[in-house]
Amino acid sequence: MDLGSLLTTTLTDTLSVSLPLFRTELAVAATVVLLLLCRMLPVLRLLDSALVALGGAVFALWFAWVDLRGLPGSPWAVADVAATPLRQELFGGLLVFDSLTAYIRLVLAGFLVLYILFTKVSGIPDREDGADFYTMVLGATLGMCLMASANHLLMVFMAVEMASVPSYALAGLLKGRKASSEAALKYAVYGAGAAGIMLYGISLLAGVLGTCHLPSMATELARVVGEQGIGSGKVMVLALGGLMVAVGLAFKLSAVPFHFWCPDVFEGAAAEVGAFLSVASKAAAVALLLRLVFSLGDPAAATAAGGAAAVAGLAETRHFMTYVIALMAAVTCTLGNLAAYGQTNMKRLLAYSTIAHAGYLMMGAAAATAMLGTSPAGARNAVTALAFYLGTYLFMNLAAFAIVALLRNRLRSEEISAYAGLVRTSPGIVVATAAVLVSLIGLPPLAGFVSKFLVFSSIVEAIRAGAEQPLMLVLLVLGGLNTVLSLFYYLRVLKVMTFDPPPADRPTEAFPLVSLPGAFVTAVAVPVVVLGVFWAGLYAAAQIAGRMVS
Amino acid sequence: MTAADAISQPALWPLTAILFIPAVVAAFLSLPIIPKAREEAVRWITLATTAVVFVLSLWMAWPQLFGAAGPAQFTIGEAGMQGIVKQPWIPAFNIEYLLGVDGISMPLVLLTTFLSMLAAAASWPITKHVKAYHVLFLLLETGMLGVFVSLDFFLFYVFWEVMLLPMYFLIGIWGGPRREYAAIKFFLYTLFGSVLMLLAILMLYFTSDLRMLSLEQLQAAHVIAPGLDAAAAADAVTAIKTAAEPIHTFNLLALAQLGQLPNSPFAAVNLWGMSLETWAFLLLLIGFVIKVPVVPVHTWLPDAHVEAPTPISMILAGVLLKLGGYGILRICYPICPGAGLSLAWLVCGLGVVSMVYGAFAALAQKDFKRMVAYSSVSHMGYVMLGLGVWSAVAGNQFRWDAWAQGVNGAMFQMLAHGISSAGMFFMVGVLYDRVHHRNLEEFGGIFNRMPVYSGLAVAVFFAGLGLPGLCGFIGEVLVTLSSWNYSRVLAVISAFTVILTAAYILWAIQRVYLGAEYKGPHGDHLTPMTGRELAIATPLVFLAILFGVAPQTLFSYVTPSVNKQVETLADWTRRVRPDAPGAQEPLAPAAAAVVPPPAVAAQR
């Protein structure tokens, strides 16, 4: 193939195939550019950057929705709009568009819209910082969208970095505060370390397998493991490389033992930043984890490599990945819940709660991996469960952090003890907090229960399908016990708010729900209740995401 | 079925209305429409709501009282499920909004609505955060009713958990000095049990397969509407039978049908040396016995009952404890009959241990309310024994009518205990409201100071004691008699426990009501009962006497359904476990003595 025809193919591929499925990211990227341009011209400086960002986010949301709606199997398909392909590699295989990408992008874009509204209501950032803040938020979101669609190890690394670097700066947003700067530094140092290890792991994998394109890697992997057998030098290097990549992922997921940054950063940074890190970052990391595991463990790749040895080799790889994820899930969940006990600061408590929820999410991922080879239907259900979990998690955690931020504006404190007796003056906000925290425990009829129910049911499905049975049973029991464990610390917050007498020096003004902040809290807390009772709609959307498992 | 069809079907309404009226009123009360200062209005609205729900449930349960019976009402003497409400909820998991009542749940629904009404009336002394209290109270009522009427396991679990949070706050905010400890302890124990229950639910769901059931079984389980014409029903069966993938279900009736198949899918699966059936039975049993409660998981009960305010104690003892017994009867045995058969010794043993332990513990109490709380542990032990005897197998003494007798006795004991224990807690509360202490040693002479109250209280305590002619007697006698066939040792022990019961109750009556004069503080506050208190106490005493002298009033509801379930399981044993000792004995007319002739039921 000569250069001319190569260029022509690339051009048509880019223009007619890749870019139309890349509109969500393009909308976000264009908004970033627009935000920066607005700072150049004095006239445009009068424009509120939040509005610009909001406009861009709404466009991104619309494009993401159109992409999801058009996927085969979607109940919302519109007759005269062409269907979206179920799986399409973009930009020569660097990215991939499939149902999981579409769903995660929708979650991210939806979160972005709500998040910008939230920052507008809470007043951080102020007008001065707005342009910087939204540029970084949108930039990080762009990186997260890429994390959800990366199909090449280089893109994986680039996407993770693109999502992380703006987050470091965001953590230091409260410029005058020492804790904030410390959080930013800690986050950056940890992040750099994790990124270095991950990059080293990538180079090991790429060196042994000779490619960075994930589907091709899977075929190579099956062949190498099948030929060389477990325990050979090459396979050991591969395992090491895989573990090193897992370190980078664990950092993004805040999984134990790479979680140390999380409580400090959440406590030091503004609650607004905590909301961003705990929701968006988590959703993208889960998507990336699923992408890597499902690409590298794809049973079809083993068939392509040919031979029973390759099939057995890939099964062995999946077994290894399942154990790593399950072990991390178990430890993360238990440690997160136990460490949350002693916390007196609400943001720190929510940080440990985030860690614990990462554990539940990884339990679902472990079940999905376990069933990938033996029961594709079960794996599909597990991915659906995770997608649903992320959809509800968005509302739960955004609402939780919104309450923290808005109460901070009133009470000038984020300590749990400052919330004592809040029910006397502001019953509305306490009811909203109760709904959110009880949903995080996972009690019906709230959204968190359904999510947990779905994850546990995936684990049971794995047990019934005979996939990694003893391990899955351990996960199931641990998941149940952790639910009971988590009861204490969430309820303690409610206990302080309702049982304890209010401090004498508290200003008596109430936090009325009929106000802009109150309306926002209501708007994000109501879905937590509604999705707990009428969850068929969100489940249908999540089922589309599950179709990524072929 | 479209929404318009659903609205136009009168049969859909009674249960849904009974279930959700309290929740809707709670939502209304929580809106800032009634000013906070109008506490009296909130109390009256709550009382009116609970009264409406009670009248509605009575209208449904006892059509003869209101004239001609409509299609939506309950037919006394019919064993099967009635008043079925069936709407799809989450199609992806075959979760349905499936409600129904039979002779087992209908009286429990009545008990719940009745006690809720009395408890609402007993809530007048609550003066702290009145509005929040009543909102939570009404939500609690919806949760309790939901458990009794749900026939979908998912729905059942949702309602089971919905009760927890209101109860936590009701104990934690309006309770006694150690309320926070008691509230979290209650929550933790129950949540632990319900997480285990969730695991069992998931295991059963993913093992179930509707394709294994025949048309008759599917219709009996209301998977296919029994009224459907033959052609449509045949189509529906074909659609189920020819499905490529297993069709899982949460339908409790269908799960029971599956569990009783000769090739039960739950018995076929083996996990770590035990069948899935046994695992599920054990997990569910733990979840339910925590609620009953049974020694050694009873320790939340004395704390919660003592710290809770009087009306909440009435609800706790009167209704919440019955949820555990109901769950064992409705879910454990029908779905996992094989495990029930092999683990009968466990259920019976737990029952007798708590019976004796509770009685001894009650003897040792100095706190009046704590004594009543331990008496609940003891009395609920009879329920466990009666339910366990259901699957009695011992030597060659296996008799089918003993099963039915035991279960009928357990059901009667649950209902009777609902009346008597709620009454006892209310009576203690009346005294506490006046003198603000509950120390058994510092009472005495109440008979002289408050004669009317003391008369009613002694009647209620005698009912709890099990005096013949009062409601507590019937259940205990039936359970003890039936257990004779299972194990003479257990029967003798449970008979002797009656002496212990008599000891602690008579001793308490002696210390509190008899004696020359009142010994404790605030003696001048011992004023006669108010009209409101009389209005609460009198119906309880009346029912305690009524059920004691005319137990047919309850048995006419309970017995047909219980006997049908027992006969089904007896038949199951003969078919599936022919080697069980005595399984080939002919089926005796079950507990004929306690079944009223149909004519009696029709006359009422």
Side-chain angles (χ1 to χ4, degrees), chain B residues 68-151:
Chain B
Q73 282 159 292
F74 191 83
T75 315
I76 301 169
E78 201 182 295
M81 280 292 163
Q82 307 181 33
I84 291 285
V85 180
K86 185 175 146 85
Q87 292 290 307
W89 181 14
I90 309 292
F93 278 81
N94 284 332
I95 299 173
E96 287 173 328
Y97 174 66
L98 183 63
L99 310 180
V101 281
D102 66 354
I104 296 170
S105 45
M106 193 73 238
L108 288 167
V109 168
L110 265 182
L111 179 75
T112 310
T113 55
F114 176 68
L115 285 182
S116 296
M117 182 173 72
L118 295 191
S123 299
W124 245 259
I126 302 280
T127 50
K128 201 164 94 176
H129 313 310
V130 173
K131 210 166 167 179
Y133 173 90
H134 286 95
V135 167
L136 292 169
F137 180 87
L138 288 170
L139 287 179
L140 180 68
E141 189 181 359
T142 289
M144 296 185 300
L145 287 169
V147 171
F148 288 132
V149 300
S150 298
L151 291 179

Side-chain angles (χ1 to χ4, degrees), chain B residues 328-340:
Chain B
I328 295 174
L329 185 55
R330 167 76 75 222
I331 294 173
C332 281
Y333 281 110
I335 298 181
C336 314

Side-chain angles (χ1 to χ4, degrees), chain A residues 443 464 488 495 533 539, chain B residues 89 93 161 173 180 188 207:
Chain A
L443 292 186
R464 292 286 302 115
F488 274 111
K495 185 199 84 112
V533 182
Y539 191 76
Chain B
W89 181 14
F93 278 81
E161 299 269 89
I173 299 180
E180 290 178 16
L188 266 181
T207 315

Side-chain angles (χ1 to χ4, degrees), chain B residues 168-328:
Chain B
Y168 170 76
F169 284 114
L170 285 169
I171 299 174
I173 299 180
W174 290 273
R178 290 171 71 235
R179 53 182 180 251
E180 290 178 16
Y181 171 76
I184 190 80
K185 195 169 180 183
F186 161 81
F187 206 147
L188 266 181
Y189 269 70
T190 321
L191 185 66
F192 178 75
S194 42
V195 165
L196 294 184
M197 198 197 295
L198 181 63
L199 302 189
I201 293 175
L202 287 171
M203 284 184 182
L204 290 174
Y205 172 77
F206 279 105
T207 315
S208 64
D209 185 358
L210 282 183
R211 293 179 302 178
M212 299 173 76
L213 295 178
S214 68
L215 172 63
E216 292 72 36
Q217 288 164 329
L218 286 170
Q219 286 191 326
H222 292 274
V223 175
I224 295 173
L228 218 56
D229 64 87
D235 284 349
V237 173
T238 318
I240 290 176
K241 289 273 184 192
T242 55
E245 298 277 319
I247 303 177
H248 303 315
T249 182
F250 281 110
N251 182 324
L252 283 174
L253 304 172
L255 286 174
Q257 295 282 0
L258 283 168
Q260 292 166 18
L261 286 177
N263 55 341
S264 159
F266 310 136
V269 179
N270 204 316
L271 290 168
W272 303 282
M274 286 205 285
S275 68
L276 187 133
E277 191 181 30
T278 315
W279 280 109
F281 185 86
L282 282 175
L283 290 174
L284 291 170
L285 190 70
I286 296 173
F288 290 134
V289 297
I290 287 177
K291 207 83 169 186
V292 168
V294 155
V295 176
V297 286
H298 67 289
T299 52
W300 64 269
L301 179 132
D303 288 313
H305 280 48
V306 170
E307 297 307 324
T310 302
I312 302 307
S313 296
M314 291 168 70
I315 294 281
L316 266 172
V319 184
L320 249 71
L321 305 191
K322 311 303 171 291
L323 297 169
Y326 172 76
I328 295 174

